Structures are given as C-alpha cells and as structure tokens.
Amino acid sequence: MDTLRHLYRIGHGPSSSHTMAPRSAAETFLKENPDAARFEITLYGSLASTGKGHFTDVALFEVFGKDRLTILWRPEIVPEYHPNGMLMRALDAEGNEITQRMIYSTGGGALSLGPEDQEAADVYPLTNMTDILNYLVESGKSYWEFVEENEGPEIWDYLREVKDVMYDSIERGLNTEGVIPGGLGVSRKAPVFYRRGKLMNPTMASVARLTAYTLAVSEENASGKEVVTAPTCGSCGVVPGILRYLQENLQLSDEIALKALATAGVFGNVVKENGSISGAEVGCQGEIGVAAAMGAALAAYMYFCSVRQIEYAAEMALEHHLGLTCDPVNGLVQVPCIERNAFSVGTSLYVAEYVSFTDGSHMISFDQVVDVMVHTGIDMPAMYRETGTGGLAKSYARAKKKKKKEQN
Ligand code: SF4
C-alpha cells in the first residue's frame, strides 16, 4: 500500500484529478521536451466532459503558454483503463510529432501510464482493513503507530506540513469574501457562518464554527487556491474542518492532531488501494464518501475510541454515502460539492459519537463497504460519474435553457 504522502497531496484546486494531476503531467512532459515548438493535448472522457468547469484548460495553458498549446476535447471517447485519459503530443515547427504519451489521471492527483504502471510506493505490507485491524488488535497498537512503523518517523514532519496547509486554507477562507470564479454566481459563505455564528447560542455557534471551517477550505479549493487532497480536492473540506473543530473543542495538542491525520489516512489509503477515490470512476461516494469515512475515523480517534470502534466509524460513514452520484453543475467544483463537504462533517461527527456508545462490533466490515462502493460505481450510469451530464447538472442546464427561451 502506498505512502500517505500520495494521499495527502498539497497543491492548487479546484480538482485533484482535473487540475492538479494534468498540471503535473504537463510540467513533466514540457521538461522532457524542451525543444518542441508546439504541443497538442487531447482530453478524453470525464477530463473532457468537465475539464472546462474544473479549469483543466487553464492549468494546461499556464504550463505551456496559450500560443504553444492546442487542446482537443473528446468527451465521447472514454478510455478503457480509466475515464480520465489525456494524450500529450510534442510537435516540431512543421507540425511533425516528436513524441507522444497517453497518461491517465486516476484520482486524488495520482497519474498512471496504464495498467502496468504503478506510481504507488510499496510502503505498507498490509493492504486491507481486516488484516490491519487484526494486526492492531493482536499487537495492541494504534493506527498512528502502524503508520509510523511503516513510514518512519519522518512522516510526522510531512503531516505537520499537511496540517499547516489545511489550517492556512481555513484562515484564508474565513477571511475572504466575494463570488467564487466560474460564472455560477456562488458567493463564499464561510465568513458569514464564522462571524454570525459568534452571535448565537452555544449549540448553534458550535455548528456554525464547524461549518465555517469546512466551507472555508472547500471555497478556497473552488477558487483554485492551495489545499490538501483528503482524499481529493473536491472533498478537501471535511478532514480539516473536523480536525480544527475537535482540536479546539477538546483542547488537544498538535501531536494528537497529527496522529488523528495519520489515523484518517490509513482509511483513505485502504480505499485508494482496493477501491477508488475517483469521482469519474465511482461517483461522489469515492470522494465525499471517503472523506466522511476519514473524518469519522479522525473524530473517533480524538474521542479516544478503540481500533475496532474507529474502523466501525469509518465503515458506517462510508456505508451511508453509498450510491452518492457526481453531478457537478456546469462542471464546476461548487454545486453540490461545497455544501456536500459541510453536510458530511455532520455525518462524520455523528457516527463517531454513535460508535463511542458501542463496543465496536458490527456486521459489515470496512473492506466489504469498499467493495460494495466499487461495484455500485461500476453499475452507475456514466452521467453520474463526473461528466456533468446527469442529476443536478442536467436539471440546472434544463432550467437555464427554459429561462432563456422564455426571455427570448
Ligand atoms: S460532486 Fe463530489 S465527486 Fe463530483 S466533483 Fe463534486 S465533490 Fe467531486
């Protein structure tokens, strides 16, 4: 199983699969072909369907320059290996091909050259939650000890950086007002929740603060600012929102916050290894569903739950996000994405509290839910897998068309 460094990636939003990964692939390709006169990139499948809304073109033009790059959009061609395919070609001055590369953006900022290519580092010998849990129960260790044992003590420096970037994005988000770019007219709400929440009774104030932290990160992401994938950009508000909220509420040290991040990371990593965190592959259950599972594990750890209870919390959170579709309006990572982050932190906290009343025994394992999530994703029509052609996206487009017709 891969390192947590590849789960928690620091970069710019709004999308780990449609912005972060294509930008990184483009930078590498440009470095390898410094003498090319021009570049041509064909975007396939979901990368082409929602690439405009997710600012894929903006990221690519920033790397190559507007005058040197041609982008071809082919949403109707869905590559067999992964729906986020991209063919990059380097051309000479006469337009002859120097070299080409087919590359796939497989979710959470990861890239792959195809089935034979594995970016994943083999850091963890145990790769599913059943084996990990058995090991922890037998050894008496915690999830964070399992992480340290396999990643080495250097992982804490990396997780500290992750936490700092997460908290910086919260601070910026709480203090930035205005409309999020993209044309939908969605205004930032984090400052409202943060400031007005302070005027309310303690219960309302508490909910408003949690919501404000989560919205702050998601709104920063939607505005293309620096965030951490947890496990993706679209779902990046859940983990930091809960982390800061509980660290403050329970007055926990930074050391505990880092251990909580490590605990959450194990669950995100297991899904990445055995399932998918790509909305284009399995819908939003793989993004917000997994973020909710990570957030629930994080919260249960902070409540000092046992390893079994923590696994139960993550399982329960993911189970109740099964079937969640990806249908971003106008292909932007705004509606339903931003609100969905805020909604899911409530679920994560609730299930962490729920499992704390139990002894951690339950019927369906985390591994089973991951397997169900994958099969549900396979059975889901493509319109619900980050193509921006079904669900809310379709309904919004229809309503807009109708309004335009009435105005004419
Ligand atoms: S709906 Fe979910 S999966 Fe789709 S772009 Fe938004 S956050 Fe990502």
Side-chain angles (χ1 to χ4, degrees):
M1 190 163 73
D2 203 358
T3 167
L4 291 194
R5 293 163 199 269
H6 291 164
L7 177 78
Y8 292 125
R9 290 177 201 257
I10 298 168
H12 287 258
S15 169
S16 35
S17 56
H18 286 55
T19 323
M20 221 183 249
R23 180 192 292 276
S24 150
E27 283 166 351
T28 306
F29 197 63
L30 179 62
K31 227 178 269 168
E32 288 172 356
N33 296 284
D35 300 327
R38 292 195 50 76
F39 294 89
E40 182 193 277
I41 295 187
T42 309
L43 300 172
Y44 297 106
S46 163
L47 265 189
S49 303
T50 48
K52 283 212 171 88
H54 284 41
F55 304 145
T56 309
D57 49 347
V58 176
L60 295 176
F61 282 129
E62 272 173 17
V63 174
F64 292 107
K66 267 218 148 148
D67 47 340
R68 277 217 298 173
L69 174 67
T70 305
I71 301 179
L72 306 172
W73 305 81
R74 302 298 302 271
E76 73 286 2
I77 301 176
V78 182
E80 203 182 323
Y81 173 60
H82 193 282
N84 288 333
M86 183 165 80
L87 178 69
M88 298 189 294
R89 297 175 70 219
L91 309 170
D92 66 17
E94 280 74 48
N96 302 310
E97 182 179 291
I98 303 169
T99 184
Q100 63 156 270
R101 175 174 302 151
M102 184 71 186
I103 195 156
Y104 303 87
S105 171
T106 55
L111 288 163
S112 169
L113 294 173
E116 304 304 316
D117 176 47
Q118 292 298 332
E119 180 209 37
D122 218 359
V123 170
Y124 294 85
L126 303 179
T127 57
N128 64 63
M129 196 47 71
T130 308
D131 289 347
I132 294 170
L133 192 55
N134 286 339
Y135 169 70
L136 296 181
V137 170
E138 275 169 28
S139 64
K141 291 182 178 168
S142 308
Y143 291 98
W144 66 264
E145 287 173 296
F146 172 68
V147 169
E148 187 182 61
E149 199 170 86
N150 289 288
E151 301 252 11
E154 317 81 59
I155 193 63
W156 301 118
D157 285 340
Y158 184 72
L159 290 177
R160 188 165 295 110
E161 195 186 342
V162 161
K163 178 184 154 292
D164 288 348
V165 174
M166 285 178 169
Y167 282 22
D168 285 351
S169 60
I170 292 177
E171 272 319 304
R172 286 196 315 270
L174 293 178
N175 292 295
T176 311
E177 299 174 18
V179 176
I180 296 169
L184 263 191
V186 174
S187 59
R188 287 178 180 250
K189 295 185 181 64
V192 184
F193 276 83
Y194 190 59
R195 304 213 298 254
R196 204 171 291 164
K198 291 184 181 206
L199 306 172
M200 298 184 169
N201 67 51
T203 310
M204 292 285 282
S206 187
V207 173
R209 189 161 47 85
L210 170 65
T211 309
Y213 294 162
T214 307
L215 289 176
V217 181
S218 299
E219 289 169 358
E220 279 292 285
N221 174 63
S223 305
K225 301 291 193 281
E226 189 176 59
V227 292
V228 182
T229 59
T232 63
C233 279
S235 58
C236 69
V238 176
V239 167
I242 295 175
L243 186 69
R244 178 162 161 184
Y245 174 78
L246 285 185
Q247 193 185 0
E248 284 175 357
N249 278 13
L250 304 173
Q251 298 184 340
L252 299 173
S253 66
D254 280 349
E255 198 185 318
I256 300 290
L258 301 189
K259 288 175 180 171
L261 275 177
T263 302
V266 174
F267 289 88
N269 240 6
V270 164
V271 183
K272 220 179 116 192
E273 174 79 19
N274 303 304
S276 172
I277 54 167
S278 166
E281 239 178 348
V282 296
C284 201
Q285 46 174 2
E287 296 204 17
I288 291 284
V290 177
M294 291 170 69
L298 185 158
Y301 164 75
M302 283 186 151
Y303 293 154
F304 220 95
C305 288
S306 70
V307 288
R308 282 189 196 284
Q309 288 171 315
I310 293 172
E311 186 264 353
Y312 186 11
E315 180 278 319
M316 195 176 176
L318 183 55
E319 180 182 321
H320 299 296
H321 281 83
L322 285 175
L324 193 63
T325 59
C326 170
D327 51 358
V329 169
N330 276 9
L332 294 159
V333 192
Q334 296 181 20
V335 179
C337 321
I338 296 171
E339 227 173 56
R340 193 166 281 176
N341 278 265
F343 174 80
S344 286
V345 289
T347 308
S348 298
L349 282 186
Y350 174 73
V351 300
E353 283 161 18
Y354 183 103
V355 302
S356 71
F357 289 100
T358 74
D359 64 359
S361 41
H362 57 112
M363 200 179 283
I364 305 289
S365 71
F366 186 75
D367 288 332
Q368 281 175 291
V369 174
V370 173
D371 189 52
V372 173
M373 184 195 81
V374 171
H375 285 95
T376 306
I378 292 169
D379 292 340
M380 219 179 243
M383 71 167 89
Y384 299 122
R385 286 186 273 119
E386 211 166 3
T387 52
T389 54
L392 297 168
K394 191 175 174 183
S395 171
Y396 176 86
R398 218 172 12 212
K400 207 173 154 193
K401 207 169 156 191
K402 193 173 166 221
K403 198 170 164 193
K404 213 170 162 187
K405 216 169 157 188
E406 282 164 4
Q407 282 166 350
N408 290 336

